Amino acid sequence: MTELLEGGCRCGASRYTLSVAAMPEVYCCHCHYCQSWSGSAFTQQVIVPTEALTATGPIVTYGYDTDSGATSTHRFCGTCHTRLWNDNTRLPGYIVVRAGTLDASDTLVPAAHIWVKRKQTWIVIDAGVPQFAESAPPAEFLAIVLR
């Protein structure tokens, strides 16, 4: 059975649908880049196969080379510039969707937190949720978020 998850930008000009078997696991990133990209304490994200995404509206791209040598290409609404998703050459075949842009974002519960050494001191993470000081070991992280 396929579940359709919908989301979009702040102004409504850009919309997307994720065709997935179930709601993906959400993770939060507390790194400096995510804090500055979002203008907030952390970001919430889900990883889904690239082919799960269908998008409409004015979508623009911005790409850059990361410190690790990968290329990260971000997609934004061309009208309001809400960051919607990105792909990364280190994880071919998958995209990283900004979970806060999902229509049902108020139902999300994080399954993991990364880069907690950069988290704001006032944030308290449930002891039962996996936490990683920096990036999680890839196999362990993917086992959590790609269930």
Side-chain angles (χ1 to χ4, degrees):
M1 182 174 181
T2 300
E3 185 173 345
L4 297 178
L5 304 174
E6 295 185 358
C9 66
R10 184 175 187 273
C11 76
S14 296
R15 297 286 301 160
Y16 65 83
T17 300
L18 301 175
S19 180
V20 294
M23 177 63 198
E25 296 290 347
V26 176
Y27 71 95
C28 296
C29 182
H30 300 265
C31 79
H32 181 74
Y33 290 120
C34 284
Q35 289 176 10
S36 60
W37 269 105
S38 68
S40 190
F42 57 89
T43 58
Q44 296 179 59
Q45 299 158 145
V46 295
I47 299 173
V48 298
T50 303
E51 68 270 6
L53 175 78
T54 303
T56 61
I59 297 173
V60 297
T61 63
Y62 168 73
Y64 66 95
D65 293 329
T66 68
D67 293 341
S68 68
T71 299
S72 184
T73 305
H74 296 254
R75 275 51 170 218
F76 302 82
C77 170
T79 303
C80 69
H81 301 271
T82 299
R83 188 167 66 136
L84 300 167
W85 76 88
N86 73 285
D87 60 53
N88 188 303
T89 56
R90 291 186 74 189
L91 191 60
Y94 290 90
I95 59 170
V96 181
V97 177
R98 298 301 164 274
T101 66
L102 288 164
D103 291 348
S105 63
D106 59 332
T107 65
L108 304 176
V109 178
H113 289 261
I114 60 174
W115 280 93
V116 296
K117 78 177 193 179
R118 295 273 321 174
K119 80 172 183 59
Q120 302 298 311
T121 57
W122 50 266
I123 293 174
V124 178
I125 300 171
D126 184 312
V129 177
Q131 302 177 44
F132 302 90
E134 294 182 355
S135 293
E140 185 176 354
F141 183 68
L142 292 176
I144 294 168
V145 298
L146 295 180
R147 293 180 193 183

